Amino acid sequence: MPTPRRLRRAALPLAATALLATAVTACTSSGGSGGSGGDQRLKVALAFPPAQAMSPYGDDAVTLSRLAVVEGLTRLDRDGEAEPALATSWKRDGDRAWLFTIRPDTVFQDGTKLDAAAVVRSLAAAQQASPKPRVLSDTTLTPTAEGADTVRITTKDADPLLPQRLANPSLSVLSADAYAKSGAKVDPAGHATGPFTLAEVNGAVSATLERNDTYWGAKAKTPGVDVKFVADGTARANALRTKDVDVAEYVPISQASLLGDGLVHEFPSARTNGLSLNTGRGVFADPAMRAAARAAIDPKALVDGVYEGRADTAQGLLGPGVPWAADLRTAPTGRAKAATPAEVRKTPEIVLATYTNRPELPEVATVVQQQLEKSGFTVKQVVRDYAQMEADALAGKYDGFIQARNTLLDTADPVSYLASDFTCDGSFNITQLCAKPVDTAVDRAAALADTDARHKAEMTAEAAILGSDALVPLVHERFVQGYDDARVRGVALDPMERTLITADTRIG
């Protein structure tokens, strides 16, 4: 039986807590905060260090977007609809082509001019990247310049979501020098267009942002941002409590009630935490074993125990952050009969992995391990920093992988999530699933221009995926971001997680 959370908190050694707080203080105090109000630099603690040296083609792109460094042709409003960013307007030209008009008199952070050729270069580089960005896992873009200020983008198939797709941070537009080093990773530092310039990255430790005074929109209200990557959630919470940081993302549930409402801001999310089962090799290549694992899991115990009620029991892949999903949900299709406990006990040891950056996940893994072992599985746990695990997870080196996944992150429509995570050619397919019924259902949804029809088709695809038991949904998260609302202004509370620090974020 897991140790009650209240006891676990009390059992944290005071010396360890002090050490964590000291470490964050040492990291965050070096940036300085001269002046007051709008003259004061922001100090921010992020949970995830760069996993690909700030490459825009992986999860680091989201970090760049959350820090207001990069921009694409479009951005998303709160309803997930595309609105102008580096493109001022767009229109469809036939079934597979769109024309985008580029914002005039806009320059990159290195002083070079934004034009159609720059957009074509960036989109072509993303298309050719390996591994391919998740947002492109279900399509191919062919960009061409038509004059200096117009870009034609042709897609492999009809793509009604292209304007939303182009808001994805992995499709940000960068200057030529970002691609200057042959064979090297793309370098966004000083080569993007956002209100903040990425001036320095110190590995997985810190980053420094400076205000971009040539920004085409409203200038940032703070002169810069000093970022520390702090994987330990208790350390982030302690740094917020002691004012060593101004903003701390993803406050641990265990710390939320201790910090109080003035420092904690909870809001719904489109994030689903799930157990991905490796369908490509090992124990869970057998559908009966996957069904047995699914039957062993009790998500409500996770909501009540680990999340202290600050989460919702998962009903499927799409939770309350996708409000239309519940009314359209259908029962899973094609599920195998679960293996018996006697059959389960004969299987080899399985490796269950998760990461430390989201502090609840190791506790979730412990409870899931106990539930699986109660059903006869022998389980070994692996818990590390996410940056050390992503490549192995994508390569199928774990039997089970517990992750928190934003289902609207790629295009603000779940069809991209379904394609990237669960289809044969999906670029983020941790489950290694390759099933024709799933591919067919996802392809059908992606081809539909009518929103209501697409949503219904997406739920048909969800039923096929759940029927494979490739992923066992656990909980739907609620975001808990930390900042003092009496002194920090303009922090974005974005259910899609693309924005956090904006041009409007400041002290006072």
Side-chain angles (χ1 to χ4, degrees), residues 112 130 341 344 424 452:
T112 58
S130 180
V344 168
C424 295
D452 291 339

Side-chain angles (χ1 to χ4, degrees), residues 229-278:
F229 302 107
V230 184
D232 187 277
T234 301
R236 291 196 304 277
N238 285 342
L240 181 67
R241 183 183 294 108
T242 58
K243 296 185 172 59
D244 289 319
V245 299
D246 304 307
V247 180
E249 71 168 356
Y250 304 133
V251 173
I253 298 297
S254 62
Q255 296 292 316
S257 59
L258 301 179
L259 288 172
D261 292 342
L263 294 179
V264 170
H265 305 272
E266 180 182 333
F267 58 105
S269 81
R271 183 171 290 279
T272 296
N273 294 2
L275 169 62
S276 296
L277 300 177
N278 189 339

Side-chain angles (χ1 to χ4, degrees), residues 207-476:
T208 302
L209 311 181
E210 303 296 345
R211 179 165 49 206
N212 174 16
D213 289 326
T214 63
Y215 184 53
W216 58 267
K219 304 298 184 293
K221 293 181 179 178
T222 184
V225 183
D226 299 312
V227 180
K228 297 299 173 182
F229 302 107
V230 184
D232 187 277
T234 301
R236 291 196 304 277
N238 285 342
L240 181 67
R241 183 183 294 108
T242 58
K243 296 185 172 59
D244 289 319
V245 299
D246 304 307
V247 180
E249 71 168 356
Y250 304 133
V251 173
I253 298 297
S254 62
Q255 296 292 316
S257 59
L258 301 179
L259 288 172
D261 292 342
L263 294 179
V264 170
H265 305 272
E266 180 182 333
F267 58 105
S269 81
R271 183 171 290 279
T272 296
N273 294 2
L275 169 62
S276 296
L277 300 177
N278 189 339
T279 68
R281 67 158 185 84
V283 171
F284 294 126
D286 182 348
M289 292 299 167
R290 298 199 298 272
R294 182 249 309 157
I297 303 302
D298 177 12
K300 189 175 186 303
L302 299 173
V303 171
D304 295 341
V306 176
Y307 288 90
E308 300 182 1
R310 293 179 184 262
D312 300 294
T313 302
Q315 302 300 315
L317 302 178
L318 309 178
V322 189
W324 50 263
D327 290 339
L328 298 176
R329 177 161 288 122
T330 59
T333 56
R335 270 184 170 162
K337 182 180 179 181
T340 66
E343 292 170 328
V344 168
R345 284 192 290 271
K346 295 177 183 178
T347 60
E349 179 183 70
I350 61 173
V351 176
L352 175 66
T354 195
Y355 43 96
T356 58
N357 309 75
R358 291 185 180 276
E360 292 78 30
L361 293 189
E363 294 188 57
V364 169
T366 296
V367 176
V368 168
Q369 177 179 358
Q370 292 169 344
Q371 292 177 348
L372 290 172
E373 289 177 339
K374 186 177 180 180
S375 294
F377 290 98
T378 302
V379 183
K380 174 186 176 182
Q381 232 189 98
V382 174
V383 179
R384 297 201 300 271
D385 183 273
Y386 181 81
Q388 301 170 343
M389 306 189 79
E390 183 182 69
D392 285 346
L394 291 171
K397 293 187 178 180
Y398 305 119
D399 297 293
F401 189 74
I402 296 174
Q403 64 168 330
R405 182 77 162 91
N406 190 323
T407 60
L408 297 183
L409 187 61
D410 294 327
T411 63
D413 186 284
V415 71
S416 292
Y417 154 68
L418 300 176
S420 66
D421 287 35
F422 302 108
T423 64
C424 295
D425 295 328
S427 61
F428 201 69
N429 191 348
I430 289 176
T431 67
Q432 314 296 307
L433 182 66
C434 185
K436 185 175 180 180
V438 170
D439 279 31
T440 299
V442 173
D443 287 346
R444 182 176 181 277
L448 294 172
D450 180 76
T451 299
D452 291 339
R454 187 173 63 253
H455 287 171
K456 291 178 182 177
E458 287 163 347
M459 299 313 292
T460 298
E462 184 200 64
I465 293 164
L466 293 176
S468 74
D469 285 323
L471 184 135
V472 181
L474 301 175
V475 304
H476 302 302

